[in-house]
Amino acid sequence: MRLYDTQRSGNAWKVRLMAGLLGLTLERRTLSIDRGELRSESFCAIAPMRQVPVLELDGGGTLCESMAILFYLAQDSLWWPLAPVEQARVLSWMSFEQERHMKPLAQLRLHLGLHRDRRPEDADMRHHAAEAALALEILEAQLSRPGTAPWVATPTLPSIADIALYPYTRLAGMGGIDLAAYPAILGWLGRIEALPGYQPLFPGRPDLNFSTAETAAL
Ligand SMILES: N[C@@H](CCC(=O)N[C@@H](CS)C(=O)NCC(=O)O)C(=O)O
């Protein structure tokens, strides 16, 4: 299988993380947003939603959207629980990630950490910061609940919901958020990072994980 991603995409990191934890090898095709490669005819032909991640399947065809790709990779593993009620809980936390968690955290990282084209006091950044703080408060409360911790959606084993919520939480500091205020989240991030097969954002170059400089080569 081949993964289309960009160097710093948190949504594509979910897919590489999941593949590593499942022991799967993905060929990687890294595109550049700045060079317009996500608007090229060839990318649009395989990516109807015109965003990464896109997974090209061995038998032909592609899958878009990180949530769908995580499900596809993990459906026959312990990362996707068997009981329908647990499957539904996993889906509810993945919806939370897409709807309320990823966007504000990604926007803060993009504009304050990477592009540096906004100031924290700008109205849109203050709005995203308030939404991000609420999302992290909700996640902290969930991870502090007896009977649910140490994983987000399922009591005993981690699930694809943990993988979906990991990257933008891990990268929150680049958007000016101090994760020290969230001790249960910090413990959970450490548990994920200790799992065999864990993949950093830049494999072999941990110094780049939180850096904001452009990287010429991987
Ligand atoms: N809901 C999508 C969001 C994907 C997304 O936001 N991708 C970003 C990179 S992290 C992207 O392709 N941005 C470039 C663009 O939208 O043109 C998912 O979870 O996969």
Side-chain angles (χ1 to χ4, degrees):
M1 289 181 286
R2 177 185 291 149
L3 174 68
Y4 290 82
D5 65 4
T6 60
Q7 273 191 2
R8 294 185 185 279
S9 164
N11 285 300
W13 188 15
K14 296 172 194 171
V15 178
R16 291 194 292 111
L17 191 49
M18 189 76 261
L21 293 165
L22 289 168
L24 299 171
T25 306
L26 297 179
E27 187 191 324
R28 195 172 167 193
R29 185 70 53 88
T30 299
L31 305 177
S32 161
I33 296 178
D34 293 347
R35 288 200 297 273
E37 290 174 355
L38 271 64
R39 295 292 172 264
S40 71
E41 232 176 90
S42 57
F43 181 68
C44 294
I46 59 157
M49 296 169 198
R50 303 182 184 191
Q51 287 187 321
V52 293
V54 172
L55 187 67
E56 198 165 39
L57 305 176
D58 289 340
T62 55
L63 292 174
C64 302
E65 291 288 328
S66 60
M67 188 165 157
I69 298 171
L70 290 181
F71 167 73
Y72 178 78
L73 293 178
Q75 60 187 306
D76 295 324
S77 77
L78 293 172
W79 290 87
W80 176 245
L82 279 176
V85 68
E86 290 202 350
Q87 293 175 351
R89 286 192 185 116
V90 169
L91 289 176
S92 66
W93 282 100
M94 292 176 89
S95 297
F96 164 78
E97 188 268 342
Q98 289 281 302
E99 188 66 26
R100 296 172 69 186
H101 171 276
M102 181 260 284
K103 279 186 194 148
L105 288 165
Q107 289 295 314
L108 291 172
R109 171 179 175 245
L110 186 69
H111 293 295
L112 301 181
L114 294 173
H115 292 172
R116 299 185 183 206
D117 56 359
R118 301 270 213 294
R119 292 167 305 154
E121 56 272 26
D122 290 349
D124 54 349
M125 293 298 109
R126 283 183 19 218
H127 176 73
H128 292 315
E131 288 196 323
L134 177 60
L136 292 173
E137 189 188 312
I138 289 169
L139 187 56
E140 176 75 11
Q142 176 67 2
L143 286 166
S144 309
R145 275 178 52 188
T148 303
W151 307 110
V152 170
T154 41
T156 49
L157 289 172
S159 72
I160 56 175
D162 294 279
I163 302 308
L165 282 155
Y166 173 83
Y168 288 99
T169 308
R170 175 76 277 177
L171 297 167
M174 291 178 73
I177 292 168
D178 184 1
L179 286 177
Y182 304 96
I185 289 179
L186 281 179
W188 167 76
L189 293 172
R191 282 191 289 282
I192 292 178
E193 286 156 20
L195 292 168
Y198 170 82
Q199 301 291 311
L201 182 56
F202 286 92
R205 292 292 308 274
D207 54 309
L208 293 177
N209 286 348
F210 304 106
S211 102
T212 54
E214 274 301 312
T215 307
L218 287 174

